[in-house]
Amino acid sequence: MSKSLNILLIEDDAIEVMKFNRVLSTHGMNHKIVEANNGEEALDILKEKEFVPDIIVLDLNMPKINGIEFLRVLKNDDYLKFIPAIVLTTSNNHNDIFECYKIGIAGYLIKPLKYEDYGDRIKKLLEYWMTNELISKS
């Protein structure tokens, strides 16, 4: 049986957050989602260490601290750097993709325009991480 995940969702667009949560609800996935509106808010959540996610799903284009800046801070932190970070964005810019993989992301997904395609992509993403052996923070 697959496990429930603790997911930190970093997304500044309320509609995108609603879509993500709707996919989980539609497929009966009972993951714990903690939402952050930007990289700065996400770092505050992670620094408290009350919630340590199994995976982080983040957008790139956000106010305050964007996705790439957030990833640099995350991957330079000895406690947090092993948390898999998956970029979920509209950017198919080669430089963004290259920079994110160089920093150490676990995946890069382009948000499809059609909701059905989006739902399928999110479902596959979460099913993959539900079956992975993840590092437990103790």
Side-chain angles (χ1 to χ4, degrees):
M1 177 123 189
S2 45
K3 58 187 169 279
S4 179
L5 298 170
N6 289 326
I7 302 169
L8 176 57
L9 177 62
I10 311 170
E11 172 64 67
D12 64 317
D13 185 330
I15 292 173
E16 292 295 327
V17 171
M18 195 169 54
K19 278 176 31 183
F20 189 89
N21 285 310
R22 183 175 169 200
V23 170
L24 271 64
S25 176
T26 300
H27 295 288
M29 296 178 164
N30 294 319
H31 303 298
K32 180 175 182 177
I33 308 295
V34 171
E35 300 166 7
N37 292 313
N38 57 62
E40 184 177 82
E41 190 176 309
L43 289 172
D44 288 343
I45 290 167
L46 292 168
K47 284 178 187 171
E48 291 175 11
K49 296 183 181 168
E50 290 178 22
F51 173 81
V52 179
D54 295 310
I55 64 170
I56 297 170
V57 178
L58 73 147
D59 190 16
L60 285 187
N61 303 312
M62 298 179 291
K64 296 187 180 183
I65 296 177
N66 69 34
I68 290 175
E69 293 165 330
F70 169 81
L71 288 168
R72 285 188 183 118
V73 173
L74 179 79
K75 295 303 179 181
N76 282 318
D77 184 294
D78 287 336
Y79 181 75
L80 303 171
K81 67 182 174 185
F82 297 108
I83 300 170
I86 301 99
V87 174
L88 179 62
T89 185
T90 57
S91 174
N92 62 358
N93 180 300
H94 177 75
N95 292 333
D96 286 344
I97 297 168
F98 180 76
E99 187 62 27
C100 288
Y101 276 110
K102 191 169 92 176
I103 293 168
I105 62 165
Y108 194 103
L109 299 174
I110 307 291
K111 295 175 187 173
L113 294 176
K114 287 178 57 183
Y115 176 77
E116 294 78 20
D117 296 338
Y118 176 87
D120 185 54
R121 196 161 288 179
I122 297 303
K123 180 177 179 274
K124 287 176 182 172
L125 166 74
L126 296 179
E127 285 174 344
Y128 173 79
W129 287 104
M130 288 164 53
T131 58
N132 248 284
E133 292 302 318
L134 298 167
I135 295 175
S136 173
K137 301 290 182 194
S138 311

